[in-house]
Amino acid sequence: MGPASLLFIALATTAPLLSAAQPYDYPTANISTLWTNNKASLPHSVSYPDGSAVRAIVLRSPQTFYGPSFAAGFFCAAPCDAFLFAVFILYTNSGAKITMPTTGIPQVVWSANRASPVRENATLELSSDGSLVLRDADGSLVWSSNTSGRSVAGMEITEMGNLVLSDLKNATVWQSFEHPTDALLPGQSLLEGMRLVPNTSATNWTENQLYMMTVLPDGLYAYVGSTPPQPYFSLSVSKNNTGNDPIMVTFTNGTLSVSVQSKEPNDSGTSIPLPAAKSTQYMRLESDGHLKLYEWSDAEATWGVVSDVIKLFPDDCAFPTVCGEYGLCTGGQCSCPLQNSSSSTYFKRVDERKPNLGCAPLTPISCQEMQHHQLLTLTDVSYFDISHTVANATNGEDCKQACFKNCSCSATIFRYGQNDSDGTCMWVTKVFSLQSIQPEIVHFNSSAYLKVQLSPSTSDSNANRKKVMLGATLGAITGIVLLVIAVTLYLYLRRKRKHQELDEELDFDQLPGMTMRYSFEKLRECTGDFSKKLGEGGFGTVFEGKIGEERVAVKRLEGARQGKKEFFAEVETIGSIEHINLVRLIGFCAEKSERLLVYEYMPRGSLDRWIYYRHNNAPLDWCTRYRIILDIAKGLCYLHEECRRIIAHLDIKPQNILLDDNFNAKVADFGLSKLIDRDQSKVMTMMRGTPGYLAPEWLTSQITEKVDVYSFGVVVMEVVCGRKNIDISLPEESVQLIKLLREKAQNDQLVDLIDNHSDDMVLHQEEAVQMMKLAIWCLQNDSSRRPSMSSVIKVLEGSMNIDSTIDCSSLEENLVMSVQLNKQFTYSVPPEASILSGPR
Ligand SMILES: *[C@@H]1O[C@H](CO)[C@@H](O)[C@H](O)[C@H]1NC(C)=O
Ligand SMILES: *[C@@H]1O[C@H](CO)[C@@H](O)[C@H](O)[C@H]1NC(C)=O
Ligand SMILES: *[C@@H]1O[C@H](CO)[C@@H](O)[C@H](O)[C@H]1NC(C)=O
Ligand SMILES: *[C@@H]1O[C@H](CO)[C@@H](O)[C@H](O)[C@H]1NC(C)=O
Ligand SMILES: *[C@@H]1O[C@H](CO)[C@@H](O)[C@H](O)[C@H]1NC(C)=O
Ligand SMILES: *[C@@H]1O[C@H](CO)[C@@H](O)[C@H](O)[C@H]1NC(C)=O
Ligand SMILES: *[C@@H]1O[C@H](CO)[C@@H](O)[C@H](O)[C@H]1NC(C)=O
Ligand SMILES: *[C@@H]1O[C@H](CO)[C@@H](O)[C@H](O)[C@H]1NC(C)=O
Ligand SMILES: *[C@@H]1O[C@H](CO)[C@@H](O)[C@H](O)[C@H]1NC(C)=O
Ligand SMILES: *[C@@H]1O[C@H](CO)[C@@H](O)[C@H](O)[C@H]1NC(C)=O
Ligand SMILES: *[C@@H]1O[C@H](CO)[C@@H](O)[C@H](O)[C@H]1NC(C)=O
Ligand SMILES: *[C@@H]1O[C@H](CO)[C@@H](O)[C@H](O)[C@H]1NC(C)=O
């Protein structure tokens, strides 16, 4: 097929999709133009299978017949509820039709509003006075090029991917190349002071606070954040630049170079060679600190990484976050630091299943208790940042002492060649990943001294025990009198200790899982005196807080007397288990009557906010709902089947399912859980839970973990149908979802129940109906006929079929149950579930 026939096909397939007003190639725009971010106003809109979508405003067709081309317009990533005004690379054909949506996923190389994405119907205006202005749907100003009054005549996207505002004389007034975000295009330069900052995640485009790459007067530097920042890479301009000439960093086909601006780019500069471009390339600073070179591959019709530009010595273990904070990287494997020749541990993994997330000290370092500081010695361990040296410390002992003196020192690293009394001591305020080294390969020796905090309680009780032992020994040798004194001392100390224990009510040091203990003061401080309320959960109020760099949710239990039992149950249960689909307990506080729990922060809040439409959130698409259901199933399966003892949650409902940035769901609030012994399959327990989600066997008080399967079934229905199980705002015949479910299942009309707020759900009718059948199985009246959570997962993953003998008529009794309960709790407005879920 020759180019002519290809062109023909391209034109033929293009025509119907382009509106008459939309030219094939439209790289420029004039002043006094306004674009509105919706499909109707920007017909050149394409959705991609990864959930992202683009709406192009200016687009430059490739010079070649077809291929990657640059465009500027609105961009969103799944779930597509927030848009950037961005420059992106798309795959188009000669008619500038955007093609290859499956593999040619748009690549964002610049954006105006990373930190404040806009919504549907936001506007971009190239105003008559020459400013490019982005406003959100409500008219609020989000971003402006601030170029009014500078005779801007028009906007253009160049062949290089530069978005340019130029004046009547065609001189550049503003260009996106001078305001880089996280990426560079061939031909683009970074000047002194300009920086690249990676985004936080694929959907949260906010600047990541951790990494940064910038041009300083003597070269290009990459830093990882702390105070002061720690450099992990630099590329310096050659020493000949003595005249303080400004320098620049340029990315071209084949090199990334640092050079003096006034000279040729290849003159007096240093550079990193790059693979020659076979097609369109761009470079991006990633959220893990790597600088990656991407290239479109015509052969594979997709984007791929062709080079990891920053190479660190001796290997990738030298990347600051390769093993997280305090993580020790050895040949690519991550572990937590251990003292040589000692069985004591001072660090635990942040996440047992993900060693690369790093380690945390068991006891946080406290400047108030410097007398309990100790330094852990790690031999043959090095660190990437060697920029902050301690003057006068040329041997290991001085290097250690230097760290004791200053509380902001978290570790020192002592590096030396032949002579261990003639080395260099470096200090850091924050410890990122450490590297194991082999001195014969790197040609230096290095030890790291990590500061750790001994908890006062452990040292006190050791001291007590020593005194007792000493007393007893002396007594035996020197006679009865001393023995009596020793025994008295022993009894006294024991009683004293007993008293202390009574004060504490429970010996928290023995809790499993090494959950961190905080003082009330600390939690008050980290939540800004409990100022930012996130919501009310069972037994208490949840506040937002910040511990170190980490955002946390602090739950303050109300009426500690009432909630105490639940508090211990919760600390004990979740402190000891960790799973990606269970909300992580970070720590707790028990002081006087105060009981607080510190959880990981879940940015998108609870599931009810996303399925009941009370908070104006856009409807979730099918794929997100499916993933949420699978995540809940995995969390429950872990509790039911993978822990040493079966853990029944007993209060599964959307308010207790929390979502992270990427809509990963995690099960929260174990406050009501009861441990069930494996050999004792049923257990007597007080009735608890939330009306509407309660399984029928609650009436008999004989419950098993299968009550969770029932509640899970209700939640699945709510997610698929986008409504509350019991919604008294609806007409009487529709108030109860499970009753409707029975009717619709018997008449084979399940389709009617699917959430019609979302077009995408309508597209996935068949899957949604299958999901409801799975829910019916979980809602079986007879608990023994409900599937186990592992079977639920198999069905969801497609490796097992739904039990074909399930019976929809048995859904009825459950219904009676919920009606009775609802009568018991008479109310005029739908109750907040948390109020009802309190102890009864
Ligand atoms: C911009 O204005 C010029 C001159 O008035 C006109 O020729 C051109 O077609 C306009 N471009 C667009 C994209 O409207
Ligand atoms: C956007 O504006 C159009 C036309 O004014 C309107 O029909 C549509 O409902 C709006 N969309 C949103 C999400 O507000
Ligand atoms: C434009 O000016 C406003 C107000 O002075 C400022 O807040 C904003 O950061 C400027 N925008 C840019 C892109 O420089
Ligand atoms: C403006 O300048 C650019 C290069 O700087 C050139 O490609 C373009 O054709 C010029 N446009 C006009 C209208 O002169
Ligand atoms: C944000 O960064 C991630 C990876 O670093 C990337 O996959 C994603 O496309 C980026 N998003 C934007 C809008 O730049
Ligand atoms: C995005 O990440 C930043 C931290 O980098 C955080 O402060 C912000 O809340 C996140 N945004 C959302 C919508 O989660
Ligand atoms: C720098 O590159 C230019 C063009 O590629 C070439 O003409 C020049 O000789 C080079 N200078 C040096 C010092 O290599
Ligand atoms: C840089 O300086 C060195 C020695 O001072 C000299 O040999 C070399 O020619 C200089 N290079 C350039 C490009 O000026
Ligand atoms: C990059 O340079 C190589 C030779 O150095 C050349 O073959 C290739 O075509 C260039 N790529 C682009 C996209 O210009
Ligand atoms: C630490 O452990 C390593 C390997 O287990 C051993 O080679 C080294 O001698 C030990 N160092 C000390 C000071 O015990
Ligand atoms: C380093 O040593 C010199 C001379 O021995 C002394 O004057 C200076 O105060 C020392 N500096 C520090 C930071 O200890
Ligand atoms: C500890 O070190 C930091 C960083 O050098 C310094 O700012 C601070 O003053 C030092 N504190 C003390 C008590 O020496």
Side-chain angles (χ1 to χ4, degrees), residues 329-607:
C329 181
T330 313
Q333 300 290 311
C334 299
S335 59
C336 289
L338 270 179
Q339 171 91 301
N340 238 14
S341 70
S342 153
S343 58
S344 318
T345 54
Y346 297 94
F347 294 92
K348 62 158 187 179
R349 279 190 179 161
V350 169
D351 183 333
E352 268 320 310
R353 258 158 297 267
K354 291 187 189 150
N356 61 340
L357 290 186
C359 310
L362 292 180
T363 314
I365 293 169
S366 152
C367 289
Q368 272 78 52
E369 295 173 279
M370 282 177 75
Q371 72 274 22
H372 298 302
H373 285 179
Q374 225 176 50
L375 289 174
L376 201 62
T377 302
L378 307 174
T379 40
D380 293 342
V381 168
S382 172
Y383 193 72
F384 62 89
D385 172 25
I386 50 169
S387 58
H388 307 282
T389 53
V390 180
N392 292 7
T394 53
N395 62 57
E397 198 45 45
D398 288 354
C399 189
K400 265 172 113 162
Q401 290 307 322
C403 200
F404 273 126
K405 283 184 200 144
N406 190 331
C407 189
S408 14
C409 171
S410 292
T412 46
I413 297 95
F414 182 62
R415 192 183 273 207
Y416 62 95
Q418 304 289 335
N419 184 350
D420 67 4
S421 60
D422 181 20
T424 316
C425 176
M426 275 82 57
W427 62 275
V428 295
T429 55
K430 183 167 176 181
V431 183
F432 293 99
S433 300
L434 299 149
Q435 311 134 248
S436 291
I437 52 156
Q438 290 174 279
E440 59 281 13
I441 290 177
V442 298
H443 300 295
F444 60 78
N445 294 290
S446 177
S447 295
Y449 305 107
L450 301 188
K451 189 176 281 178
V452 292
Q453 181 89 35
L454 301 181
S455 64
S457 55
T458 32
S459 36
D460 284 356
S461 66
N462 281 344
N464 287 350
R465 218 168 289 142
K466 274 186 195 141
K467 276 184 213 158
V468 171
M469 271 160 54
L470 182 67
T473 319
L474 280 178
I477 296 165
T478 58
I480 284 172
V481 177
L482 282 180
L483 179 65
V484 168
I485 292 171
V487 168
T488 316
L489 181 68
Y490 172 79
L491 288 177
Y492 167 74
L493 286 174
R494 208 176 65 165
R495 242 182 77 201
K496 191 171 158 202
R497 181 136 182 83
K498 264 244 171 75
H499 265 283
Q500 279 167 355
E501 272 173 14
L502 278 179
D503 276 348
E504 292 294 353
E505 287 156 321
L506 200 109
D507 191 352
F508 285 99
D509 292 337
Q510 284 162 20
L511 286 179
M514 306 295 190
T515 307
M516 203 79 83
R517 185 173 182 182
Y518 296 100
S519 69
F520 183 68
E521 242 345 277
K522 165 91 186 166
L523 293 185
R524 180 205 288 282
E525 185 189 314
C526 88
T527 56
D529 203 10
F530 303 107
S531 55
K532 195 162 172 204
K533 193 159 137 182
L534 289 174
E536 308 221 13
F539 314 115
T541 312
V542 186
F543 300 92
E544 186 177 332
K546 201 161 183 194
I547 293 183
E549 298 285 285
E550 188 175 16
R551 274 170 100 186
V552 295
V554 177
K555 181 169 181 180
R556 188 175 184 183
L557 302 177
E558 278 147 19
R561 183 170 295 279
Q562 188 188 28
K564 201 174 81 188
K565 240 165 65 193
E566 285 76 15
F567 175 74
F568 293 146
E570 197 155 5
V571 172
E572 222 173 285
T573 313
I574 28 171
S576 63
I577 55 179
E578 289 194 53
H579 186 269
I580 179 133
N581 298 117
L582 300 174
V583 171
R584 187 163 55 87
L585 180 73
I586 296 167
F588 65 94
C589 162
E591 263 176 37
K592 303 208 179 72
S593 61
E594 293 289 351
R595 299 281 179 272
L596 298 98
L597 295 168
V598 182
Y599 293 99
E600 69 180 302
Y601 178 76
M602 299 290 286
R604 292 199 190 256
S606 56
L607 178 60

Side-chain angles (χ1 to χ4, degrees), residues 75-92:
F75 166 87
C76 67
C80 227
D81 52 0
F83 292 81
L84 293 178
F85 171 58
V87 171
F88 35 79
I89 318 177
L90 298 163
Y91 193 92
T92 61

Side-chain angles (χ1 to χ4, degrees), residues 253-254 276-280:
N253 177 5
K278 296 198 197 77
S279 169
T280 304

